[in-house]
Amino acid sequence: MATEFTPSDSAAIRRRVEALCPWFHNLHLPDGSQTAPDHFLGDFPAYKWEELATVLPTDLSDAEVLDVGCNAGYYSLELARRGARVTALDMNRHYLAQANWAAELFGLGDRIQFVRGQVYDLAHDERQFDLVLFLGVFYHLRYPLLGLDIVARKSRDLLAFQTLTMPGEPTDQVQEDLPIDERAALTAPGWPRMAFIEHRLANDPTNWWAADPAAVEAMLRSTGLRVIERPGTELYLCRIDPDAPRLWDAAELLAATGRSPDRGQAPL
């Protein structure tokens, strides 16, 4: 039975929403109100969740899930509703305050653990998860492939990925090797490429990269992932591919994350 909210309950919710402004996630709250009804992207991220929800298991009972860059917790809440035990990571204290409040309001606080930290901190966490969400984070990273390599190794099975892209067509039909004096091929249509944003995109100084779809899928493959679904624009569901070539250098990754076998760390 749905909980009935009195006018005083709704007034208290509205006051808390206002106190926690600004909101980037438009949460639909139990009293019928919303946290960002005039969002410049529309009903965000509800429409992205609708795309992703169709390709995720409807029953996540006892599944362990990691939500990287959880923001106000929209995806974490939806996954918890499906029965998952969620670890939700974000570096922003303001977003975590929003997410913690929303989880308690929805009665899901016991299923979600909110953690403050960077993507790179995950390299020092030995846990793995049945499902990892890495949505809307990659293009904000100064060191994007390092972040992707770290996050991919957190998944036992599935990883959902979304990033800002630039125009282009996905392809895996590129030469596997080039002579050093034939680099003009790197500018040919279809070659995976990523644009570097020196200053701002959408007035956001943390938007560093815009990959084309070919580059997105090439990077996912290079880190040991196989794209199994493309449920929406800029959205990919991947599975760990045990037969994928390990194109990255494990020793380099260990060094880049401050780890080394000499310290007793297990190889990645």
Side-chain angles (χ1 to χ4, degrees):
M1 180 179 296
T3 301
E4 293 186 6
F5 284 81
T6 67
S8 60
D9 293 330
S10 293
I13 289 173
R14 287 195 299 272
R15 286 194 299 271
R16 190 61 180 148
V17 168
E18 291 171 4
L20 288 168
C21 281
W23 293 78
F24 188 66
H25 278 185
N26 183 36
L27 304 183
H28 293 237
L29 301 176
D31 70 332
S33 63
Q34 300 176 33
T35 57
D38 300 319
H39 201 296
F40 70 97
L41 292 175
D43 192 5
F44 179 85
Y47 66 87
K48 296 302 294 183
W49 169 250
E50 289 174 3
E51 295 173 339
L52 182 60
T54 62
V55 296
L56 294 181
T58 56
D59 183 2
L60 289 169
S61 297
D62 297 323
E64 295 178 322
V65 174
L66 173 64
D67 183 3
V68 181
C70 66
N71 202 277
Y74 189 101
Y75 300 109
S76 294
L77 294 167
E78 293 293 345
L79 295 165
R81 288 191 183 102
R82 293 190 176 194
R85 297 191 304 274
V86 184
T87 299
L89 178 77
D90 206 289
M91 62 172 289
N92 189 301
R93 294 182 189 276
H94 180 76
Y95 292 149
L96 289 175
Q98 293 174 340
N100 270 290
W101 173 75
E104 293 301 325
L105 183 65
F106 281 102
L108 296 170
D110 61 338
R111 301 205 67 84
I112 308 174
Q113 178 188 15
F114 294 102
V115 179
R116 184 170 182 264
Q118 296 267 4
V119 170
Y120 314 110
D121 294 328
L122 293 169
H124 304 277
D125 187 331
E126 297 299 324
R127 289 178 297 168
Q128 286 190 306
F129 300 83
D130 302 298
L131 168 65
V132 175
L133 267 60
F134 193 34
L135 308 176
V137 177
F138 181 81
Y139 56 97
H140 293 297
L141 299 179
R142 179 75 176 182
Y143 313 104
L145 268 180
L146 176 60
L148 181 58
D149 278 342
I150 291 169
V151 171
R153 276 144 195 82
K154 296 291 98 185
S155 176
R156 299 187 191 99
D157 185 21
L158 294 173
L159 184 143
F161 181 82
Q162 185 273 331
T163 188
L164 174 79
T165 61
M166 64 177 179
E169 295 296 328
T171 181
D172 57 3
Q173 304 301 314
V174 296
Q175 291 176 249
E176 292 190 3
D177 192 11
L178 287 174
I180 196 167
D181 59 351
E182 294 183 14
R183 282 168 283 171
L186 300 175
T187 66
W191 190 277
R193 63 193 59 176
M194 188 156 66
F196 176 68
I197 302 161
E198 181 180 2
H199 300 296
R200 283 175 171 78
L201 180 70
N203 201 34
D204 186 341
T206 73
N207 287 332
W208 287 109
W209 306 94
D212 70 6
V216 170
E217 298 201 19
M219 288 185 287
L220 291 169
R221 288 193 299 271
S222 79
T223 201
L225 296 164
R226 176 168 52 91
V227 176
I228 58 173
E229 298 281 357
R230 300 170 184 83
T233 303
E234 302 178 334
L235 187 59
Y236 305 83
L237 182 65
C238 308
R239 173 160 274 136
I240 297 299
D241 185 353
D243 298 321
R246 297 164 74 91
L247 301 181
W248 46 276
D249 187 315
E252 180 182 6
L253 182 57
L254 286 170
T257 54
R259 309 169 76 207
S260 81
D262 295 339
R263 299 178 187 174
Q265 300 279 13
L268 296 176

